[in-house]
Amino acid sequence: MLKDKKKKYLLVGLVAFSVLLTSLSFYFYQAFFSPNTMVDRDEPEVLEIYSGSSFSQVLDSLIARDIINEVVTFSFVAKIMKYQEAVKPGRYTIQPKMSNRELVTLLRSGRQSPVNITFNNIRFPEELAEKITANLEMDEASFLALLEDKTFIEKYGFDTTNIMAMFIPNTYEVYWDLSPIDLFDRMHREYEKFWTEERKNKAEKLQMSPAEVATLASIVQAETNKSDERPLVAGVYINRLKRNIPLQADPTLLFALGDFSIRRVLNVHKEVESPYNTYKYAGLPPGPINLPEISSLDAVLNYTEHNYLYFCAKADFSGYHAFATNLRDHLNNARKYQNALNASKIYR
């Protein structure tokens, strides 16, 4: 009788253990492999984890963004997979209906989704810092501090007057959490990639460094937004440089004055004391007055050879310019433009 009771208890225990084991196995399977991200949505969600974030902060973000449905199972899987001690910053694209295991594996791996940075239409370092960091974790102040750090930028072969020449306007794919120094390194690699042997040879024939080409290209770009006219304008300035004639470029005066609302450059403007005053000082100014586009850089390197020394805006307001080889013809062209300005209601 006692023996039968023991068998009965043993059988009950085995059944209970089997049920418990089955339940635990089912729970483990559900916790690890069942969908737990945006189960009612079809669009992916982007999660940004800042440097130094703790697991609890990541969890708070997941909850606040309604990315995970079951908090307890996610926390359980994260603990089992030791994610709590391996939080990696970055920008992660989380797909709908991912399992906890898939989500934790993604976040643990540091396998980020890259972002694009684009910068153009820039004159000053402050504008570059603002635009280049717009989609990144870093703040613009930390990047601007490096732009203005003389010792730091000397490592790249630049100084504070020409460092802007290192940044070639384009769209670049980077990781969201890269550091300011890493971003500088990346931009320098892009700069070196742009300046091929062919381009360097063309710059050498002009007796210019790449930074000087960028300086001239910035003036050309400020003079005309017509890309097909830029090689012609570049040719004018190169002719002047070869003859040691001051560039007399109005955009450099506006840069020196810091006033880009000026429509007509007057004699009083030409008196501003600045190394960027190309009416007072021959040769190129110390550095670019904007970030020249690739088309502007190539316009200088592939300038049109001609005998023009002057140009001014056409009187038809087409945006193109009238070119002249001598001062008399130039003054005649300028008079036509001034008369058109005086007759135009827009410029009164």
Side-chain angles (χ1 to χ4, degrees), residues 219-261:
I219 297 173
V220 170
Q221 180 169 293
E223 289 284 14
T224 177
N225 59 10
K226 306 294 184 183
S227 58
D228 58 333
E229 190 184 49
R230 286 174 181 170
L232 271 170
V233 174
V236 171
Y237 286 129
I238 287 169
N239 287 343
R240 282 178 162 261
L241 287 170
K242 286 178 178 178
R243 301 184 191 191
N244 202 34
I245 301 172
L247 298 183
Q248 297 184 330
D250 290 353
T252 65
L253 290 183
L254 305 187
F255 183 83
L257 292 163
D259 186 352
F260 301 95
S261 65

mmCIF file of all heavy atoms in Angstrom, residues 219-261:
data_model
loop_
_atom_site.group_PDB
_atom_site.id
_atom_site.type_symbol
_atom_site.label_atom_id
_atom_site.label_comp_id
_atom_site.label_asym_id
_atom_site.label_seq_id
_atom_site.Cartn_x
_atom_site.Cartn_y
_atom_site.Cartn_z
ATOM 1 N N ILE A 219 34.741 82.973 -55.001
ATOM 2 C CA ILE A 219 34.442 84.285 -55.579
ATOM 3 C C ILE A 219 33.645 84.114 -56.874
ATOM 4 O O ILE A 219 32.648 84.807 -57.107
ATOM 5 C CB ILE A 219 35.748 85.066 -55.841
ATOM 6 C CG1 ILE A 219 36.477 85.323 -54.516
ATOM 7 C CG2 ILE A 219 35.454 86.383 -56.559
ATOM 8 C CD1 ILE A 219 37.870 85.933 -54.683
ATOM 9 N N VAL A 220 34.085 83.184 -57.705
ATOM 10 C CA VAL A 220 33.382 82.906 -58.961
ATOM 11 C C VAL A 220 31.940 82.518 -58.682
ATOM 12 O O VAL A 220 30.998 82.990 -59.344
ATOM 13 C CB VAL A 220 34.111 81.797 -59.747
ATOM 14 C CG1 VAL A 220 33.270 81.331 -60.938
ATOM 15 C CG2 VAL A 220 35.483 82.273 -60.208
ATOM 16 N N GLN A 221 31.750 81.670 -57.691
ATOM 17 C CA GLN A 221 30.401 81.206 -57.343
ATOM 18 C C GLN A 221 29.527 82.359 -56.854
ATOM 19 O O GLN A 221 28.333 82.421 -57.166
ATOM 20 C CB GLN A 221 30.491 80.125 -56.272
ATOM 21 C CG GLN A 221 29.148 79.556 -55.835
ATOM 22 C CD GLN A 221 29.322 78.319 -54.984
ATOM 23 O OE1 GLN A 221 29.773 77.285 -55.465
ATOM 24 N NE2 GLN A 221 28.987 78.398 -53.711
ATOM 25 N N ALA A 222 30.121 83.271 -56.095
ATOM 26 C CA ALA A 222 29.361 84.413 -55.588
ATOM 27 C C ALA A 222 29.008 85.388 -56.711
ATOM 28 O O ALA A 222 28.017 86.119 -56.613
ATOM 29 C CB ALA A 222 30.159 85.132 -54.507
ATOM 30 N N GLU A 223 29.811 85.403 -57.775
ATOM 31 C CA GLU A 223 29.568 86.317 -58.881
ATOM 32 C C GLU A 223 28.446 85.851 -59.799
ATOM 33 O O GLU A 223 27.716 86.662 -60.353
ATOM 34 C CB GLU A 223 30.850 86.499 -59.714
ATOM 35 C CG GLU A 223 31.950 87.288 -59.034
ATOM 36 C CD GLU A 223 31.688 88.791 -59.023
ATOM 37 O OE1 GLU A 223 30.545 89.210 -59.293
ATOM 38 O OE2 GLU A 223 32.634 89.538 -58.726
ATOM 39 N N THR A 224 28.324 84.543 -59.986
ATOM 40 C CA THR A 224 27.304 84.043 -60.904
ATOM 41 C C THR A 224 26.754 82.702 -60.443
ATOM 42 O O THR A 224 27.505 81.835 -59.996
ATOM 43 C CB THR A 224 27.864 83.893 -62.337
ATOM 44 O OG1 THR A 224 26.846 83.345 -63.185
ATOM 45 C CG2 THR A 224 29.087 82.993 -62.385
ATOM 46 N N ASN A 225 25.432 82.558 -60.548
ATOM 47 C CA ASN A 225 24.817 81.269 -60.237
ATOM 48 C C ASN A 225 24.577 80.450 -61.503
ATOM 49 O O ASN A 225 23.914 79.419 -61.462
ATOM 50 C CB ASN A 225 23.505 81.462 -59.470
ATOM 51 C CG ASN A 225 22.493 82.299 -60.246
ATOM 52 O OD1 ASN A 225 22.688 82.586 -61.431
ATOM 53 N ND2 ASN A 225 21.411 82.693 -59.591
ATOM 54 N N LYS A 226 25.121 80.941 -62.622
ATOM 55 C CA LYS A 226 25.010 80.225 -63.894
ATOM 56 C C LYS A 226 26.249 79.339 -64.059
ATOM 57 O O LYS A 226 27.353 79.823 -64.313
ATOM 58 C CB LYS A 226 24.919 81.209 -65.059
ATOM 59 C CG LYS A 226 23.816 82.248 -64.926
ATOM 60 C CD LYS A 226 22.442 81.613 -64.981
ATOM 61 C CE LYS A 226 21.359 82.675 -64.954
ATOM 62 N NZ LYS A 226 19.994 82.074 -64.938
ATOM 63 N N SER A 227 26.064 78.041 -63.904
ATOM 64 C CA SER A 227 27.216 77.135 -63.932
ATOM 65 C C SER A 227 27.935 77.158 -65.277
ATOM 66 O O SER A 227 29.158 76.974 -65.338
ATOM 67 C CB SER A 227 26.774 75.711 -63.592
ATOM 68 O OG SER A 227 25.778 75.266 -64.494
ATOM 69 N N ASP A 228 27.198 77.416 -66.364
ATOM 70 C CA ASP A 228 27.837 77.433 -67.678
ATOM 71 C C ASP A 228 28.675 78.693 -67.890
ATOM 72 O O ASP A 228 29.493 78.752 -68.814
ATOM 73 C CB ASP A 228 26.788 77.298 -68.791
ATOM 74 C CG ASP A 228 25.736 78.403 -68.749
ATOM 75 O OD1 ASP A 228 25.483 78.948 -67.654
ATOM 76 O OD2 ASP A 228 25.150 78.712 -69.805
ATOM 77 N N GLU A 229 28.481 79.706 -67.051
ATOM 78 C CA GLU A 229 29.227 80.955 -67.183
ATOM 79 C C GLU A 229 30.449 80.998 -66.261
ATOM 80 O O GLU A 229 31.343 81.842 -66.436
ATOM 81 C CB GLU A 229 28.292 82.133 -66.869
ATOM 82 C CG GLU A 229 28.873 83.489 -67.203
ATOM 83 C CD GLU A 229 27.959 84.643 -66.794
ATOM 84 O OE1 GLU A 229 27.493 84.625 -65.624
ATOM 85 O OE2 GLU A 229 27.724 85.536 -67.619
ATOM 86 N N ARG A 230 30.491 80.120 -65.293
ATOM 87 C CA ARG A 230 31.565 80.176 -64.298
ATOM 88 C C ARG A 230 32.961 80.020 -64.893
ATOM 89 O O ARG A 230 33.886 80.717 -64.458
ATOM 90 C CB ARG A 230 31.310 79.130 -63.199
ATOM 91 C CG ARG A 230 30.184 79.561 -62.257
ATOM 92 C CD ARG A 230 29.799 78.498 -61.261
ATOM 93 N NE ARG A 230 28.716 78.966 -60.408
ATOM 94 C CZ ARG A 230 28.030 78.196 -59.566
ATOM 95 N NH1 ARG A 230 28.320 76.903 -59.464
ATOM 96 N NH2 ARG A 230 27.056 78.707 -58.843
ATOM 97 N N PRO A 231 33.189 79.144 -65.874
ATOM 98 C CA PRO A 231 34.544 79.071 -66.459
ATOM 99 C C PRO A 231 34.966 80.398 -67.103
ATOM 100 O O PRO A 231 36.157 80.749 -67.070
ATOM 101 C CB PRO A 231 34.420 77.963 -67.500
ATOM 102 C CG PRO A 231 33.300 77.106 -67.003
ATOM 103 C CD PRO A 231 32.322 78.066 -66.393
ATOM 104 N N LEU A 232 34.013 81.148 -67.670
ATOM 105 C CA LEU A 232 34.317 82.455 -68.255
ATOM 106 C C LEU A 232 34.730 83.455 -67.180
ATOM 107 O O LEU A 232 35.717 84.181 -67.323
ATOM 108 C CB LEU A 232 33.089 82.993 -68.989
ATOM 109 C CG LEU A 232 32.906 82.620 -70.465
ATOM 110 C CD1 LEU A 232 31.525 83.040 -70.933
ATOM 111 C CD2 LEU A 232 33.978 83.295 -71.319
ATOM 112 N N VAL A 233 33.943 83.490 -66.078
ATOM 113 C CA VAL A 233 34.252 84.392 -64.971
ATOM 114 C C VAL A 233 35.595 84.027 -64.350
ATOM 115 O O VAL A 233 36.414 84.901 -64.039
ATOM 116 C CB VAL A 233 33.124 84.355 -63.917
ATOM 117 C CG1 VAL A 233 33.509 85.170 -62.681
ATOM 118 C CG2 VAL A 233 31.823 84.876 -64.508
ATOM 119 N N ALA A 234 35.822 82.738 -64.191
ATOM 120 C CA ALA A 234 37.108 82.281 -63.640
ATOM 121 C C ALA A 234 38.256 82.758 -64.521
ATOM 122 O O ALA A 234 39.308 83.177 -64.019
ATOM 123 C CB ALA A 234 37.121 80.761 -63.527
ATOM 124 N N GLY A 235 38.049 82.722 -65.845
ATOM 125 C CA GLY A 235 39.081 83.174 -66.768
ATOM 126 C C GLY A 235 39.430 84.640 -66.587
ATOM 127 O O GLY A 235 40.605 85.031 -66.707
ATOM 128 N N VAL A 236 38.419 85.477 -66.289
ATOM 129 C CA VAL A 236 38.667 86.897 -66.044
ATOM 130 C C VAL A 236 39.595 87.079 -64.847
ATOM 131 O O VAL A 236 40.590 87.817 -64.903
ATOM 132 C CB VAL A 236 37.340 87.660 -65.812
ATOM 133 C CG1 VAL A 236 37.627 89.088 -65.331
ATOM 134 C CG2 VAL A 236 36.502 87.688 -67.076
ATOM 135 N N TYR A 237 39.274 86.406 -63.760
ATOM 136 C CA TYR A 237 40.072 86.562 -62.545
ATOM 137 C C TYR A 237 41.478 85.980 -62.710
ATOM 138 O O TYR A 237 42.456 86.523 -62.168
ATOM 139 C CB TYR A 237 39.363 85.918 -61.361
ATOM 140 C CG TYR A 237 38.182 86.740 -60.874
ATOM 141 C CD1 TYR A 237 36.937 86.166 -60.698
ATOM 142 C CD2 TYR A 237 38.329 88.097 -60.600
ATOM 143 C CE1 TYR A 237 35.861 86.923 -60.262
ATOM 144 C CE2 TYR A 237 37.266 88.859 -60.162
ATOM 145 C CZ TYR A 237 36.026 88.268 -59.999
ATOM 146 O OH TYR A 237 34.983 89.032 -59.567
ATOM 147 N N ILE A 238 41.589 84.904 -63.441
ATOM 148 C CA ILE A 238 42.917 84.327 -63.673
ATOM 149 C C ILE A 238 43.761 85.281 -64.528
ATOM 150 O O ILE A 238 44.963 85.460 -64.276
ATOM 151 C CB ILE A 238 42.790 82.928 -64.311
ATOM 152 C CG1 ILE A 238 42.283 81.934 -63.248
ATOM 153 C CG2 ILE A 238 44.123 82.458 -64.892
ATOM 154 C CD1 ILE A 238 41.871 80.587 -63.780
ATOM 155 N N ASN A 239 43.129 85.911 -65.508
ATOM 156 C CA ASN A 239 43.845 86.916 -66.302
ATOM 157 C C ASN A 239 44.335 88.064 -65.419
ATOM 158 O O ASN A 239 45.455 88.558 -65.582
ATOM 159 C CB ASN A 239 42.940 87.476 -67.405
ATOM 160 C CG ASN A 239 42.712 86.482 -68.532
ATOM 161 O OD1 ASN A 239 43.461 85.504 -68.672
ATOM 162 N ND2 ASN A 239 41.684 86.709 -69.340
ATOM 163 N N ARG A 240 43.508 88.479 -64.484
ATOM 164 C CA ARG A 240 43.887 89.576 -63.590
ATOM 165 C C ARG A 240 45.031 89.147 -62.663
ATOM 166 O O ARG A 240 45.971 89.917 -62.410
ATOM 167 C CB ARG A 240 42.678 90.029 -62.769
ATOM 168 C CG ARG A 240 41.733 90.903 -63.565
ATOM 169 C CD ARG A 240 40.503 91.309 -62.739
ATOM 170 N NE ARG A 240 39.872 92.461 -63.383
ATOM 171 C CZ ARG A 240 40.036 93.730 -63.022
ATOM 172 N NH1 ARG A 240 40.810 94.025 -61.999
ATOM 173 N NH2 ARG A 240 39.436 94.707 -63.670
ATOM 174 N N LEU A 241 44.950 87.934 -62.136
ATOM 175 C CA LEU A 241 46.010 87.438 -61.250
ATOM 176 C C LEU A 241 47.339 87.373 -61.995
ATOM 177 O O LEU A 241 48.390 87.742 -61.451
ATOM 178 C CB LEU A 241 45.638 86.055 -60.705
ATOM 179 C CG LEU A 241 44.532 86.013 -59.646
ATOM 180 C CD1 LEU A 241 44.103 84.570 -59.383
ATOM 181 C CD2 LEU A 241 44.997 86.672 -58.345
ATOM 182 N N LYS A 242 47.295 86.914 -63.237
ATOM 183 C CA LYS A 242 48.530 86.791 -64.021
ATOM 184 C C LYS A 242 49.166 88.150 -64.276
ATOM 185 O O LYS A 242 50.392 88.266 -64.377
ATOM 186 C CB LYS A 242 48.233 86.087 -65.355
ATOM 187 C CG LYS A 242 47.990 84.592 -65.217
ATOM 188 C CD LYS A 242 47.662 83.964 -66.569
ATOM 189 C CE LYS A 242 47.471 82.450 -66.444
ATOM 190 N NZ LYS A 242 47.106 81.837 -67.743
ATOM 191 N N ARG A 243 48.331 89.193 -64.369
ATOM 192 C CA ARG A 243 48.829 90.536 -64.663
ATOM 193 C C ARG A 243 48.969 91.389 -63.400
ATOM 194 O O ARG A 243 49.249 92.584 -63.492
ATOM 195 C CB ARG A 243 47.901 91.233 -65.664
ATOM 196 C CG ARG A 243 47.755 90.486 -66.976
ATOM 197 C CD ARG A 243 46.914 91.249 -67.968
ATOM 198 N NE ARG A 243 46.573 90.401 -69.115
ATOM 199 C CZ ARG A 243 46.013 90.848 -70.247
ATOM 200 N NH1 ARG A 243 45.754 92.149 -70.369
ATOM 201 N NH2 ARG A 243 45.720 90.028 -71.222
ATOM 202 N N ASN A 244 48.745 90.755 -62.262
ATOM 203 C CA ASN A 244 48.847 91.451 -60.972
ATOM 204 C C ASN A 244 47.881 92.638 -60.883
ATOM 205 O O ASN A 244 48.179 93.656 -60.261
ATOM 206 C CB ASN A 244 50.277 91.915 -60.700
ATOM 207 C CG ASN A 244 50.522 92.144 -59.206
ATOM 208 O OD1 ASN A 244 49.958 91.442 -58.364
ATOM 209 N ND2 ASN A 244 51.355 93.110 -58.882
ATOM 210 N N ILE A 245 46.718 92.487 -61.502
ATOM 211 C CA ILE A 245 45.666 93.494 -61.410
ATOM 212 C C ILE A 245 44.747 93.092 -60.249
ATOM 213 O O ILE A 245 44.339 91.925 -60.157
ATOM 214 C CB ILE A 245 44.831 93.558 -62.711
ATOM 215 C CG1 ILE A 245 45.724 93.889 -63.898
ATOM 216 C CG2 ILE A 245 43.701 94.576 -62.584
ATOM 217 C CD1 ILE A 245 45.016 93.785 -65.251
ATOM 218 N N PRO A 246 44.404 93.995 -59.350
ATOM 219 C CA PRO A 246 43.486 93.637 -58.255
ATOM 220 C C PRO A 246 42.200 93.006 -58.792
ATOM 221 O O PRO A 246 41.677 93.439 -59.835
ATOM 222 C CB PRO A 246 43.208 94.982 -57.578
ATOM 223 C CG PRO A 246 44.431 95.793 -57.859
ATOM 224 C CD PRO A 246 44.867 95.386 -59.246
ATOM 225 N N LEU A 247 41.705 91.998 -58.101
ATOM 226 C CA LEU A 247 40.517 91.295 -58.572
ATOM 227 C C LEU A 247 39.294 92.200 -58.624
ATOM 228 O O LEU A 247 38.426 92.047 -59.479
ATOM 229 C CB LEU A 247 40.219 90.091 -57.663
ATOM 230 C CG LEU A 247 41.277 88.999 -57.604
ATOM 231 C CD1 LEU A 247 40.803 87.845 -56.730
ATOM 232 C CD2 LEU A 247 41.638 88.487 -58.988
ATOM 233 N N GLN A 248 39.202 93.139 -57.683
ATOM 234 C CA GLN A 248 38.059 94.058 -57.611
ATOM 235 C C GLN A 248 36.731 93.292 -57.673
ATOM 236 O O GLN A 248 35.838 93.611 -58.449
ATOM 237 C CB GLN A 248 38.144 95.103 -58.729
ATOM 238 C CG GLN A 248 39.371 95.999 -58.607
ATOM 239 C CD GLN A 248 39.429 97.094 -59.641
ATOM 240 O OE1 GLN A 248 38.928 96.931 -60.752
ATOM 241 N NE2 GLN A 248 40.034 98.211 -59.296
ATOM 242 N N ALA A 249 36.636 92.296 -56.826
ATOM 243 C CA ALA A 249 35.441 91.443 -56.767
ATOM 244 C C ALA A 249 34.481 91.953 -55.697
ATOM 245 O O ALA A 249 34.813 91.943 -54.507
ATOM 246 C CB ALA A 249 35.845 89.999 -56.482
ATOM 247 N N ASP A 250 33.315 92.386 -56.114
ATOM 248 C CA ASP A 250 32.339 92.935 -55.166
ATOM 249 C C ASP A 250 31.962 91.952 -54.049
ATOM 250 O O ASP A 250 31.809 92.371 -52.896
ATOM 251 C CB ASP A 250 31.079 93.382 -55.906
ATOM 252 C CG ASP A 250 31.331 94.622 -56.759
ATOM 253 O OD1 ASP A 250 32.438 95.185 -56.654
ATOM 254 O OD2 ASP A 250 30.427 95.016 -57.524
ATOM 255 N N PRO A 251 31.807 90.651 -54.335
ATOM 256 C CA PRO A 251 31.426 89.724 -53.258
ATOM 257 C C PRO A 251 32.417 89.695 -52.090
ATOM 258 O O PRO A 251 32.025 89.442 -50.954
ATOM 259 C CB PRO A 251 31.366 88.362 -53.963
ATOM 260 C CG PRO A 251 31.052 88.691 -55.379
ATOM 261 C CD PRO A 251 31.803 89.963 -55.651
ATOM 262 N N THR A 252 33.690 89.967 -52.374
ATOM 263 C CA THR A 252 34.659 89.973 -51.271
ATOM 264 C C THR A 252 34.437 91.174 -50.353
ATOM 265 O O THR A 252 34.691 91.098 -49.149
ATOM 266 C CB THR A 252 36.112 89.993 -51.793
ATOM 267 O OG1 THR A 252 36.357 91.220 -52.493
ATOM 268 C CG2 THR A 252 36.378 88.815 -52.711
ATOM 269 N N LEU A 253 33.938 92.284 -50.919
ATOM 270 C CA LEU A 253 33.614 93.453 -50.092
ATOM 271 C C LEU A 253 32.436 93.148 -49.177
ATOM 272 O O LEU A 253 32.438 93.509 -47.999
ATOM 273 C CB LEU A 253 33.269 94.659 -50.973
ATOM 274 C CG LEU A 253 34.401 95.302 -51.776
ATOM 275 C CD1 LEU A 253 33.876 96.516 -52.521
ATOM 276 C CD2 LEU A 253 35.554 95.708 -50.868
ATOM 277 N N LEU A 254 31.417 92.501 -49.736
ATOM 278 C CA LEU A 254 30.239 92.157 -48.931
ATOM 279 C C LEU A 254 30.630 91.225 -47.795
ATOM 280 O O LEU A 254 30.120 91.344 -46.674
ATOM 281 C CB LEU A 254 29.168 91.506 -49.810
ATOM 282 C CG LEU A 254 28.704 92.294 -51.046
ATOM 283 C CD1 LEU A 254 27.521 91.593 -51.706
ATOM 284 C CD2 LEU A 254 28.354 93.715 -50.685
ATOM 285 N N PHE A 255 31.550 90.310 -48.087
ATOM 286 C CA PHE A 255 32.033 89.390 -47.059
ATOM 287 C C PHE A 255 32.786 90.160 -45.978
ATOM 288 O O PHE A 255 32.609 89.916 -44.779
ATOM 289 C CB PHE A 255 32.944 88.334 -47.688
ATOM 290 C CG PHE A 255 33.438 87.290 -46.725
ATOM 291 C CD1 PHE A 255 32.654 86.193 -46.417
ATOM 292 C CD2 PHE A 255 34.690 87.405 -46.132
ATOM 293 C CE1 PHE A 255 33.108 85.215 -45.528
ATOM 294 C CE2 PHE A 255 35.148 86.447 -45.244
ATOM 295 C CZ PHE A 255 34.355 85.351 -44.940
ATOM 296 N N ALA A 256 33.625 91.086 -46.406
ATOM 297 C CA ALA A 256 34.401 91.891 -45.454
ATOM 298 C C ALA A 256 33.482 92.746 -44.587
ATOM 299 O O ALA A 256 33.712 92.911 -43.380
ATOM 300 C CB ALA A 256 35.396 92.774 -46.200
ATOM 301 N N LEU A 257 32.423 93.263 -45.199
ATOM 302 C CA LEU A 257 31.468 94.113 -44.479
ATOM 303 C C LEU A 257 30.483 93.289 -43.657
ATOM 304 O O LEU A 257 29.865 93.795 -42.719
ATOM 305 C CB LEU A 257 30.696 94.996 -45.460
ATOM 306 C CG LEU A 257 31.522 96.079 -46.178
ATOM 307 C CD1 LEU A 257 30.776 96.593 -47.401
ATOM 308 C CD2 LEU A 257 31.826 97.212 -45.211
ATOM 309 N N GLY A 258 30.319 92.026 -44.029
ATOM 310 C CA GLY A 258 29.343 91.168 -43.350
ATOM 311 C C GLY A 258 27.919 91.570 -43.656
ATOM 312 O O GLY A 258 26.993 91.267 -42.898
ATOM 313 N N ASP A 259 27.715 92.243 -44.779
ATOM 314 C CA ASP A 259 26.382 92.717 -45.167
ATOM 315 C C ASP A 259 26.094 92.254 -46.591
ATOM 316 O O ASP A 259 26.595 92.828 -47.562
ATOM 317 C CB ASP A 259 26.326 94.248 -45.075
ATOM 318 C CG ASP A 259 24.916 94.790 -45.334
ATOM 319 O OD1 ASP A 259 24.035 94.003 -45.720
ATOM 320 O OD2 ASP A 259 24.724 96.008 -45.151
ATOM 321 N N PHE A 260 25.260 91.221 -46.710
ATOM 322 C CA PHE A 260 24.974 90.649 -48.022
ATOM 323 C C PHE A 260 23.659 91.171 -48.602
ATOM 324 O O PHE A 260 23.177 90.673 -49.616
ATOM 325 C CB PHE A 260 24.953 89.121 -47.924
ATOM 326 C CG PHE A 260 26.256 88.560 -47.431
ATOM 327 C CD1 PHE A 260 26.445 88.279 -46.087
ATOM 328 C CD2 PHE A 260 27.306 88.365 -48.307
ATOM 329 C CE1 PHE A 260 27.655 87.794 -45.623
ATOM 330 C CE2 PHE A 260 28.524 87.873 -47.856
ATOM 331 C CZ PHE A 260 28.699 87.597 -46.515
ATOM 332 N N SER A 261 23.117 92.177 -47.943
ATOM 333 C CA SER A 261 21.890 92.805 -48.452
ATOM 334 C C SER A 261 22.205 93.955 -49.401
ATOM 335 O O SER A 261 21.308 94.492 -50.051
ATOM 336 C CB SER A 261 21.038 93.331 -47.284
ATOM 337 O OG SER A 261 21.713 94.384 -46.605
#
